[in-house]
Amino acid sequence: MIVHKIILIVLVAVSAYPRGAEAGDFGNVENAQRQFVALENHFAPIRLKLRNIRAKLDTAVSNKDFANFVQRVEHAEILYLLEDFGRASVVLSEAIHLKGAESDPIYTKALYFLGESLYQIGNDASAQEYFRDLAQRGGSPYVGRALRRLIDIAERRGQWDGLDEYIKRLNEMGNIPPLTAVSYTHLTL
């Protein structure tokens, strides 16, 4: 860590040192160092908060009593928001298989965040599976999002089979994005 700071200071100093300046002219280097220290001081509290959040999350995940479905979904949502999609998908894939999870009111939320985490890391086939499951359930506020992601996956993979159904359902919900409607219209012409 200290070595990285020293290297960064040297790079800043070298880049701040004007070409053709005299060897004794170090005013720009000192200014660059002051700016670097000010930036370090500004980001230190943010780094500390992030480190504390991750430590609490790691403690909770390693806790042997961490079998509560709701807790797992909440922790996975935090991981998702921290853009740690890989870990979020692992926590959620274990959580949805817990006894009684499917009857919990937030089960569809768990399915959505699992599918979305997998989509974000590029695991389209698995994401598609969970989004399809969610889309078939209906009655969830996440159905429209799942249908849109199924369309995104079809586009990303170039597999247009079954797309009509998703677009029709989105249209019935009044939830079809304008660009999707335009793209689909061009495809069907």
Side-chain angles (χ1 to χ4, degrees):
M1 180 78 165
I2 293 175
V3 173
H4 291 137
K5 286 183 180 180
I6 292 171
I7 291 171
L8 186 58
I9 290 171
V10 170
L11 288 174
V12 168
V14 169
S15 65
Y17 190 73
R19 289 187 171 89
E22 296 297 319
D25 185 13
F26 289 105
N28 289 334
V29 173
E30 290 173 4
N31 186 32
Q33 287 175 332
R34 276 193 299 271
Q35 289 175 350
F36 178 76
V37 169
L39 282 172
E40 279 287 312
N41 291 337
H42 178 72
F43 286 110
I46 296 168
R47 223 179 3 260
L48 181 62
K49 286 180 185 177
L50 183 60
R51 198 174 301 137
N52 287 339
I53 290 170
R54 284 192 185 256
K56 286 179 184 177
L57 189 59
D58 288 340
T59 301
V61 170
S62 66
N63 185 353
K64 292 182 186 200
D65 297 328
F66 187 64
N68 182 327
F69 174 71
V70 174
Q71 279 182 319
R72 287 186 185 214
V73 173
E74 288 171 355
H75 290 304
E77 188 175 3
I78 291 169
L79 287 168
Y80 176 85
L81 293 172
L82 290 171
E83 297 182 3
D84 193 348
F85 305 118
R87 287 178 61 194
S89 65
V90 169
V91 171
L92 286 167
S93 63
E94 292 173 356
I96 64 167
H97 296 296
L98 290 174
K99 184 177 181 182
E102 227 175 302
S103 62
D104 197 288
I106 65 166
Y107 184 75
T108 57
K109 178 181 183 178
L111 283 179
Y112 171 74
F113 277 104
L114 176 55
E116 186 63 28
S117 295
L118 292 166
Y119 175 81
Q120 293 296 329
I121 60 175
N123 190 342
D124 289 345
S126 295
Q128 190 174 37
E129 176 186 328
Y130 292 109
F131 287 135
R132 278 185 184 146
D133 185 8
L134 182 55
Q136 290 173 355
R137 290 177 180 273
S140 168
Y142 297 97
V143 171
R145 293 180 190 178
L147 290 168
R148 277 191 240 120
R149 275 299 187 219
L150 285 166
I151 293 168
D152 292 340
I153 291 169
E155 182 180 22
R156 199 152 79 173
R157 298 176 92 188
Q159 297 175 340
W160 306 105
D161 296 336
L163 201 59
D164 295 339
E165 176 191 341
Y166 304 142
I167 292 174
K168 180 181 174 190
R169 287 187 59 199
L170 275 176
N171 197 27
E172 289 170 356
M173 296 169 69
N175 205 4
I176 188 164
L179 289 177
T180 302
V182 170
S183 296
Y184 182 69
T185 303
H186 286 291
L187 285 173
T188 57
L189 293 177

